[in-house]
Amino acid sequence: MLDEFVLDQKIVTTILKNAVEKNRYSHAYLFESNGYRDVNAVALAFAKYLSCPNHYTNTDKCVNCTQCKLIDQNAFSEIKIIEPDGLWIKKEQLDQLQTELMQTAIQSKYRIYIIHNAEKMNPSAANSILKFLEEPEPNIIAILITDNIYQLLDTIVSRCQIISFQKNDETNHTMLEKIMDSIYFPATMDKSLLEKMVSAVVHFIEYYESKGQATLLNTQNLWHSVIEDRDQTFISFELMLLFYKDILNVKLNREIEYYDDYSQIIQTIGEKNTIPQITKKIKILNQLKGRIPLNVNQSLLMDELILEMGCML
């Protein structure tokens, strides 16, 4: 349970245990993962802690009870877990969740719902959960987990108690592992596809930074032949954002966070760009990424990206 994470997340576990011990828990928590790999496990451990009649914090005291087994099997009726359906959390998922939470609790005093990758809620889903947070029901507790708090509605963030996790020690992590810790990559997608997309994104950026708007003539080979659908486009934009963030890191004399294997390319591009140019490109990427869920034409989107960023060269 929670005690398993004390060494990694002492402050977080102390806050959560104190909340229950003093009966001052929040109706909604926002877990800001900061790349911590076991954040989902901590959320489930906290849910166990809340649901346990004795509020045990470790498995030894609990003696592996039936209740904990049901929770581990996702078969405990009072704990609901929502995950993205594909790349997004949809309104229909949250409508169903709210219907289920309105039923009378049977197995525990508390009803708890955990939303993984909360930043993946589409606009309708976000507004749906916001209404639920604005008028909390007694003994219903929300745990929202996010890798990027800035992609959530400010009104959602303001209604939650924010719990910030300590970042993973990435000393021995591969480039791909660090990237996967920083973006949402559906479990249904093959890891080799991510490797292919990373390579395509780096090649595209390197080509664009050299050729500028002439890249428009080669987008089929550079992009569309590799990035095939809307979901892959969204992930690729997140990969580009991480790459430009590393370019900014170099300009600010910081360490490269993600793309260690491409340090020379990052250094070269950094020398060609000013800090204002890089930050402007990051802003453009963020703006266009936000339009991808709206089913925009992928070819036109890439053309717009090249033209808008070309103005910065």
Side-chain angles (χ1 to χ4, degrees), residues 161-179:
Q161 179 179 346
I162 300 172
I163 305 291
S164 293
F165 284 68
Q166 184 175 336
K167 194 169 184 179
N168 281 331
D169 178 9
E170 298 181 341
T171 305
N172 298 317
H173 292 181
T174 67
M175 182 189 75
L176 204 63
E177 286 172 338
K178 287 188 281 189
I179 289 173

PDB file of all heavy atoms in Angstrom, residues 161-179:
ATOM      1  N   GLN A 161      -7.177  19.445  -4.850  1.00  0.00           N
ATOM      2  CA  GLN A 161      -5.950  19.599  -4.074  1.00  0.00           C
ATOM      3  C   GLN A 161      -4.815  19.009  -4.898  1.00  0.00           C
ATOM      4  O   GLN A 161      -4.837  17.830  -5.248  1.00  0.00           O
ATOM      5  CB  GLN A 161      -6.039  18.892  -2.729  1.00  0.00           C
ATOM      6  CG  GLN A 161      -4.750  19.019  -1.918  1.00  0.00           C
ATOM      7  CD  GLN A 161      -4.819  18.333  -0.568  1.00  0.00           C
ATOM      8  OE1 GLN A 161      -5.889  17.969  -0.103  1.00  0.00           O
ATOM      9  NE2 GLN A 161      -3.676  18.146   0.078  1.00  0.00           N
ATOM     10  N   ILE A 162      -3.820  19.827  -5.216  1.00  0.00           N
ATOM     11  CA  ILE A 162      -2.730  19.387  -6.087  1.00  0.00           C
ATOM     12  C   ILE A 162      -1.669  18.673  -5.259  1.00  0.00           C
ATOM     13  O   ILE A 162      -1.183  19.194  -4.257  1.00  0.00           O
ATOM     14  CB  ILE A 162      -2.111  20.574  -6.838  1.00  0.00           C
ATOM     15  CG1 ILE A 162      -3.179  21.264  -7.703  1.00  0.00           C
ATOM     16  CG2 ILE A 162      -0.942  20.121  -7.700  1.00  0.00           C
ATOM     17  CD1 ILE A 162      -2.703  22.558  -8.326  1.00  0.00           C
ATOM     18  N   ILE A 163      -1.330  17.460  -5.693  1.00  0.00           N
ATOM     19  CA  ILE A 163      -0.277  16.672  -5.068  1.00  0.00           C
ATOM     20  C   ILE A 163       0.823  16.483  -6.110  1.00  0.00           C
ATOM     21  O   ILE A 163       0.630  15.775  -7.103  1.00  0.00           O
ATOM     22  CB  ILE A 163      -0.788  15.298  -4.585  1.00  0.00           C
ATOM     23  CG1 ILE A 163      -2.004  15.459  -3.650  1.00  0.00           C
ATOM     24  CG2 ILE A 163       0.333  14.519  -3.919  1.00  0.00           C
ATOM     25  CD1 ILE A 163      -1.667  16.078  -2.315  1.00  0.00           C
ATOM     26  N   SER A 164       1.964  17.129  -5.907  1.00  0.00           N
ATOM     27  CA  SER A 164       3.057  17.061  -6.886  1.00  0.00           C
ATOM     28  C   SER A 164       4.062  15.992  -6.482  1.00  0.00           C
ATOM     29  O   SER A 164       4.581  16.009  -5.364  1.00  0.00           O
ATOM     30  CB  SER A 164       3.757  18.420  -6.994  1.00  0.00           C
ATOM     31  OG  SER A 164       2.890  19.379  -7.555  1.00  0.00           O
ATOM     32  N   PHE A 165       4.349  15.105  -7.407  1.00  0.00           N
ATOM     33  CA  PHE A 165       5.276  14.002  -7.162  1.00  0.00           C
ATOM     34  C   PHE A 165       6.698  14.413  -7.520  1.00  0.00           C
ATOM     35  O   PHE A 165       6.916  15.269  -8.382  1.00  0.00           O
ATOM     36  CB  PHE A 165       4.874  12.776  -7.990  1.00  0.00           C
ATOM     37  CG  PHE A 165       3.691  12.035  -7.430  1.00  0.00           C
ATOM     38  CD1 PHE A 165       2.423  12.600  -7.436  1.00  0.00           C
ATOM     39  CD2 PHE A 165       3.844  10.766  -6.888  1.00  0.00           C
ATOM     40  CE1 PHE A 165       1.334  11.926  -6.918  1.00  0.00           C
ATOM     41  CE2 PHE A 165       2.753  10.080  -6.366  1.00  0.00           C
ATOM     42  CZ  PHE A 165       1.506  10.665  -6.381  1.00  0.00           C
ATOM     43  N   GLN A 166       7.645  13.769  -6.854  1.00  0.00           N
ATOM     44  CA  GLN A 166       9.049  13.983  -7.181  1.00  0.00           C
ATOM     45  C   GLN A 166       9.375  13.254  -8.472  1.00  0.00           C
ATOM     46  O   GLN A 166       8.951  12.118  -8.682  1.00  0.00           O
ATOM     47  CB  GLN A 166       9.937  13.460  -6.042  1.00  0.00           C
ATOM     48  CG  GLN A 166      11.418  13.724  -6.242  1.00  0.00           C
ATOM     49  CD  GLN A 166      12.235  13.288  -5.037  1.00  0.00           C
ATOM     50  OE1 GLN A 166      11.729  13.203  -3.935  1.00  0.00           O
ATOM     51  NE2 GLN A 166      13.502  12.988  -5.268  1.00  0.00           N
ATOM     52  N   LYS A 167      10.142  13.904  -9.313  1.00  0.00           N
ATOM     53  CA  LYS A 167      10.466  13.340 -10.623  1.00  0.00           C
ATOM     54  C   LYS A 167      11.339  12.102 -10.490  1.00  0.00           C
ATOM     55  O   LYS A 167      12.139  11.989  -9.568  1.00  0.00           O
ATOM     56  CB  LYS A 167      11.182  14.383 -11.473  1.00  0.00           C
ATOM     57  CG  LYS A 167      11.283  14.048 -12.953  1.00  0.00           C
ATOM     58  CD  LYS A 167      11.768  15.239 -13.743  1.00  0.00           C
ATOM     59  CE  LYS A 167      11.765  14.936 -15.238  1.00  0.00           C
ATOM     60  NZ  LYS A 167      12.206  16.096 -16.037  1.00  0.00           N
ATOM     61  N   ASN A 168      11.160  11.165 -11.430  1.00  0.00           N
ATOM     62  CA  ASN A 168      11.993   9.960 -11.465  1.00  0.00           C
ATOM     63  C   ASN A 168      13.466  10.309 -11.622  1.00  0.00           C
ATOM     64  O   ASN A 168      13.814  11.299 -12.273  1.00  0.00           O
ATOM     65  CB  ASN A 168      11.600   9.066 -12.660  1.00  0.00           C
ATOM     66  CG  ASN A 168      10.355   8.254 -12.375  1.00  0.00           C
ATOM     67  OD1 ASN A 168      10.081   7.911 -11.234  1.00  0.00           O
ATOM     68  ND2 ASN A 168       9.599   7.947 -13.409  1.00  0.00           N
ATOM     69  N   ASP A 169      14.318   9.469 -11.052  1.00  0.00           N
ATOM     70  CA  ASP A 169      15.753   9.561 -11.343  1.00  0.00           C
ATOM     71  C   ASP A 169      15.983   8.899 -12.696  1.00  0.00           C
ATOM     72  O   ASP A 169      15.822   7.688 -12.848  1.00  0.00           O
ATOM     73  CB  ASP A 169      16.565   8.844 -10.262  1.00  0.00           C
ATOM     74  CG  ASP A 169      18.059   8.869 -10.543  1.00  0.00           C
ATOM     75  OD1 ASP A 169      18.465   9.581 -11.471  1.00  0.00           O
ATOM     76  OD2 ASP A 169      18.803   8.164  -9.828  1.00  0.00           O
ATOM     77  N   GLU A 170      16.338   9.704 -13.711  1.00  0.00           N
ATOM     78  CA  GLU A 170      16.415   9.196 -15.089  1.00  0.00           C
ATOM     79  C   GLU A 170      17.838   8.871 -15.516  1.00  0.00           C
ATOM     80  O   GLU A 170      18.126   8.719 -16.692  1.00  0.00           O
ATOM     81  CB  GLU A 170      15.804  10.225 -16.040  1.00  0.00           C
ATOM     82  CG  GLU A 170      14.315  10.488 -15.756  1.00  0.00           C
ATOM     83  CD  GLU A 170      13.729  11.495 -16.712  1.00  0.00           C
ATOM     84  OE1 GLU A 170      14.523  12.240 -17.328  1.00  0.00           O
ATOM     85  OE2 GLU A 170      12.506  11.548 -16.862  1.00  0.00           O
ATOM     86  N   THR A 171      18.725   8.727 -14.557  1.00  0.00           N
ATOM     87  CA  THR A 171      20.135   8.528 -14.885  1.00  0.00           C
ATOM     88  C   THR A 171      20.359   7.347 -15.813  1.00  0.00           C
ATOM     89  O   THR A 171      21.128   7.417 -16.767  1.00  0.00           O
ATOM     90  CB  THR A 171      20.958   8.332 -13.593  1.00  0.00           C
ATOM     91  OG1 THR A 171      20.729   9.446 -12.727  1.00  0.00           O
ATOM     92  CG2 THR A 171      22.432   8.229 -13.917  1.00  0.00           C
ATOM     93  N   ASN A 172      19.683   6.247 -15.547  1.00  0.00           N
ATOM     94  CA  ASN A 172      19.920   5.027 -16.310  1.00  0.00           C
ATOM     95  C   ASN A 172      18.816   4.728 -17.320  1.00  0.00           C
ATOM     96  O   ASN A 172      18.741   3.621 -17.839  1.00  0.00           O
ATOM     97  CB  ASN A 172      20.076   3.843 -15.345  1.00  0.00           C
ATOM     98  CG  ASN A 172      21.272   4.008 -14.426  1.00  0.00           C
ATOM     99  OD1 ASN A 172      22.342   4.411 -14.871  1.00  0.00           O
ATOM    100  ND2 ASN A 172      21.090   3.712 -13.150  1.00  0.00           N
ATOM    101  N   HIS A 173      17.961   5.688 -17.570  1.00  0.00           N
ATOM    102  CA  HIS A 173      16.874   5.459 -18.509  1.00  0.00           C
ATOM    103  C   HIS A 173      17.335   5.711 -19.945  1.00  0.00           C
ATOM    104  O   HIS A 173      18.138   6.617 -20.203  1.00  0.00           O
ATOM    105  CB  HIS A 173      15.688   6.373 -18.196  1.00  0.00           C
ATOM    106  CG  HIS A 173      15.022   6.034 -16.892  1.00  0.00           C
ATOM    107  ND1 HIS A 173      13.931   6.720 -16.431  1.00  0.00           N
ATOM    108  CD2 HIS A 173      15.289   5.074 -15.973  1.00  0.00           C
ATOM    109  CE1 HIS A 173      13.561   6.215 -15.265  1.00  0.00           C
ATOM    110  NE2 HIS A 173      14.376   5.219 -14.978  1.00  0.00           N
ATOM    111  N   THR A 174      16.828   4.937 -20.866  1.00  0.00           N
ATOM    112  CA  THR A 174      17.123   5.164 -22.276  1.00  0.00           C
ATOM    113  C   THR A 174      16.350   6.375 -22.776  1.00  0.00           C
ATOM    114  O   THR A 174      15.410   6.854 -22.128  1.00  0.00           O
ATOM    115  CB  THR A 174      16.749   3.943 -23.126  1.00  0.00           C
ATOM    116  OG1 THR A 174      15.317   3.790 -23.106  1.00  0.00           O
ATOM    117  CG2 THR A 174      17.411   2.685 -22.594  1.00  0.00           C
ATOM    118  N   MET A 175      16.738   6.884 -23.930  1.00  0.00           N
ATOM    119  CA  MET A 175      16.039   8.010 -24.521  1.00  0.00           C
ATOM    120  C   MET A 175      14.558   7.692 -24.694  1.00  0.00           C
ATOM    121  O   MET A 175      13.681   8.495 -24.352  1.00  0.00           O
ATOM    122  CB  MET A 175      16.654   8.360 -25.880  1.00  0.00           C
ATOM    123  CG  MET A 175      16.017   9.562 -26.558  1.00  0.00           C
ATOM    124  SD  MET A 175      16.590   9.804 -28.258  1.00  0.00           S
ATOM    125  CE  MET A 175      15.688   8.485 -29.103  1.00  0.00           C
ATOM    126  N   LEU A 176      14.254   6.507 -25.198  1.00  0.00           N
ATOM    127  CA  LEU A 176      12.866   6.144 -25.458  1.00  0.00           C
ATOM    128  C   LEU A 176      12.065   6.045 -24.154  1.00  0.00           C
ATOM    129  O   LEU A 176      10.897   6.445 -24.101  1.00  0.00           O
ATOM    130  CB  LEU A 176      12.804   4.817 -26.220  1.00  0.00           C
ATOM    131  CG  LEU A 176      11.533   4.596 -27.053  1.00  0.00           C
ATOM    132  CD1 LEU A 176      11.434   5.648 -28.153  1.00  0.00           C
ATOM    133  CD2 LEU A 176      11.517   3.204 -27.656  1.00  0.00           C
ATOM    134  N   GLU A 177      12.678   5.528 -23.103  1.00  0.00           N
ATOM    135  CA  GLU A 177      11.993   5.422 -21.811  1.00  0.00           C
ATOM    136  C   GLU A 177      11.656   6.811 -21.269  1.00  0.00           C
ATOM    137  O   GLU A 177      10.564   7.022 -20.728  1.00  0.00           O
ATOM    138  CB  GLU A 177      12.864   4.661 -20.811  1.00  0.00           C
ATOM    139  CG  GLU A 177      12.933   3.164 -21.074  1.00  0.00           C
ATOM    140  CD  GLU A 177      13.944   2.456 -20.186  1.00  0.00           C
ATOM    141  OE1 GLU A 177      14.880   3.115 -19.675  1.00  0.00           O
ATOM    142  OE2 GLU A 177      13.815   1.236 -20.021  1.00  0.00           O
ATOM    143  N   LYS A 178      12.572   7.753 -21.402  1.00  0.00           N
ATOM    144  CA  LYS A 178      12.313   9.104 -20.912  1.00  0.00           C
ATOM    145  C   LYS A 178      11.198   9.770 -21.716  1.00  0.00           C
ATOM    146  O   LYS A 178      10.366  10.496 -21.157  1.00  0.00           O
ATOM    147  CB  LYS A 178      13.596   9.937 -20.962  1.00  0.00           C
ATOM    148  CG  LYS A 178      14.593   9.538 -19.889  1.00  0.00           C
ATOM    149  CD  LYS A 178      15.770  10.482 -19.818  1.00  0.00           C
ATOM    150  CE  LYS A 178      16.775  10.224 -20.882  1.00  0.00           C
ATOM    151  NZ  LYS A 178      18.030  10.993 -20.700  1.00  0.00           N
ATOM    152  N   ILE A 179      11.183   9.508 -23.008  1.00  0.00           N
ATOM    153  CA  ILE A 179      10.115  10.072 -23.838  1.00  0.00           C
ATOM    154  C   ILE A 179       8.773   9.461 -23.454  1.00  0.00           C
ATOM    155  O   ILE A 179       7.764  10.174 -23.314  1.00  0.00           O
ATOM    156  CB  ILE A 179      10.416   9.835 -25.334  1.00  0.00           C
ATOM    157  CG1 ILE A 179      11.591  10.730 -25.769  1.00  0.00           C
ATOM    158  CG2 ILE A 179       9.190  10.121 -26.197  1.00  0.00           C
ATOM    159  CD1 ILE A 179      12.095  10.459 -27.167  1.00  0.00           C
TER     160      ILE A 179
END
